[in-house]
Amino acid sequence: MKVAIGIDIGGTKTAIGLVAPDGTVLAKTSLPTDLALPPSVMVDNIAGAAKRLVGEKELLPADLQGVGIGAPGPLNTKLGQIAEPPNLRPWWGFPVVDAFKRHFDVPIVLENDATAAALAEKQTGAAKEADHFVYVTISTGIGAGIYSHGRLITGATGNAGDIGHMVVDPAGGDCPCGQRGCFEHIASGTAVAREASALLGRPVSTKEAFDLALSGQDAALEQLVQRVFRYIGVGCVTLINTFDPELIVIGGGVSQVGSPLFDAVSGYIRDHALNPSGRRTPVVPAALHQDAGLIGAAALVLTDY
């Protein structure tokens, strides 16, 4: 049985799974991403959890095709390093591929987590029939995976698609990256929670903010959410004008808002995309949710991406 280990490293949780070539998740587990631990120790813990899954499935060494790792950027995939992701500061400059090589004598591949998720959506999700699409994840932050002419577009160091830090509205305030009005700073789930909390004068979760806004219970929150939908539309139009995709796939926690988001974004695209064909670009929800990172990370090993 051919399998790959998929590892999806996040700022709060790391998911680990065994994945078959057709994208089926055979077994999975997760660990908290403990930023108080040195990254080398976290890698030891992740590798130990992966080896336990291999043992439980009674796999032979020859069955394991490799290890795929998805992680938030910036990365340096050529060097196999975590570069400077804001949510993984203790990992900055960490040679993650070399660290896993201490545990596994198989090919090990590192890519941006959104890029890996795009590959998963191509393999078994919403973009199976598309040769040109952009996967956009909107959650704690915002990122994208770009698939064009039948291949992933990863860039010189694996950071193509870091759209969270393209400027959408310079009046949107200071982003931690140093620019003003970055897409992520004004339209992510984090941004919604931050702005809603300021409006209500108490801590508000992203879900509660959307629920209150879309139920019509708070006019100020409704204006906030409609502004965020417009910003997401701006981001998608920029992607359409730049990459000419046949499809936009939106995933991440904010996509769970459903039709209010997709209707608003599609409407903005119809009004503002430059090319007439671009104005008709379908915008669809991701088909894969919690397992997208696992499937995509494993697909880095199992497919010729």
Side-chain angles (χ1 to χ4, degrees):
M1 177 191 298
K2 291 185 176 181
V3 300
I5 296 172
I7 298 171
D8 183 20
I9 300 172
T12 58
K13 182 186 78 171
T14 294
I16 306 124
L18 301 179
V19 184
D22 65 356
T24 301
V25 178
L26 304 174
K28 62 181 178 178
T29 188
S30 66
L31 298 173
T33 304
D34 188 346
L35 299 182
L37 293 176
S40 59
V41 175
M42 269 302 306
V43 167
D44 292 345
N45 294 344
I46 294 165
K51 288 178 178 178
R52 284 192 292 275
L53 293 179
V54 170
E56 289 166 6
K57 285 294 180 180
E58 299 182 344
L59 298 175
L60 300 174
D63 294 328
L64 186 58
Q65 303 300 296
V67 178
I69 307 165
L75 309 172
N76 189 323
T77 57
K78 285 195 171 181
L79 298 178
Q81 293 180 351
I82 306 285
E84 296 186 1
N87 294 330
L88 284 176
R89 196 174 185 93
W91 292 60
W92 283 18
F94 180 66
V96 66
V97 169
D98 283 346
F100 275 103
K101 283 181 178 178
R102 293 188 289 106
H103 297 278
F104 299 101
D105 186 22
V106 292
I108 300 174
V109 182
L110 170 69
E111 288 288 356
N112 181 276
D113 51 3
T115 296
L119 190 57
E121 290 292 335
K122 171 61 181 175
Q123 185 182 22
T124 61
K128 286 188 290 187
E129 305 303 320
D131 285 328
H132 308 267
F133 74 93
V134 180
Y135 167 82
V136 180
T137 178
I138 308 174
S139 190
T140 304
I142 296 179
I146 303 158
Y147 194 93
S148 186
H149 296 279
R151 296 191 65 84
L152 284 173
I153 305 298
T154 58
T157 58
N159 292 297
D162 202 354
I163 63 169
H165 295 281
M166 64 182 183
V167 174
V168 170
D169 182 358
D174 294 330
C175 179
C177 80
Q179 296 198 101
R180 290 182 58 82
C182 287
F183 194 13
E184 179 172 299
H185 185 64
I186 59 177
S188 64
T190 303
V192 171
R194 182 189 69 240
E195 296 300 318
S197 297
L199 284 171
L200 296 185
R202 62 176 177 84
V204 180
S205 70
T206 305
K207 183 179 186 306
E208 183 184 3
F210 278 117
D211 288 345
L212 290 172
L214 297 175
S215 67
Q217 296 181 48
D218 190 293
L221 284 183
E222 186 173 1
Q223 289 180 348
L224 166 65
V225 165
Q226 292 304 319
R227 183 167 69 249
V228 167
F229 288 168
R230 185 171 69 253
Y231 285 147
I232 295 171
V234 172
C236 288
V237 164
T238 301
L239 292 169
I240 290 167
N241 290 346
T242 304
F243 295 106
D244 192 24
E246 61 191 287
L247 182 69
I248 299 279
V249 180
I250 299 181
V254 171
S255 70
Q256 301 304 302
V257 171
S259 58
L261 166 66
F262 288 92
D263 292 347
V265 171
S266 295
Y268 190 92
I269 290 169
R270 283 195 302 272
D271 290 340
H272 296 288
L274 186 63
N275 191 314
S277 64
R279 295 171 205 149
R280 298 189 295 273
T281 304
V283 183
V284 302
L288 308 172
H289 299 295
Q290 297 302 318
D291 290 339
L294 288 183
I295 297 169
L300 297 171
V301 173
L302 295 169
T303 66
D304 180 19
Y305 71 97

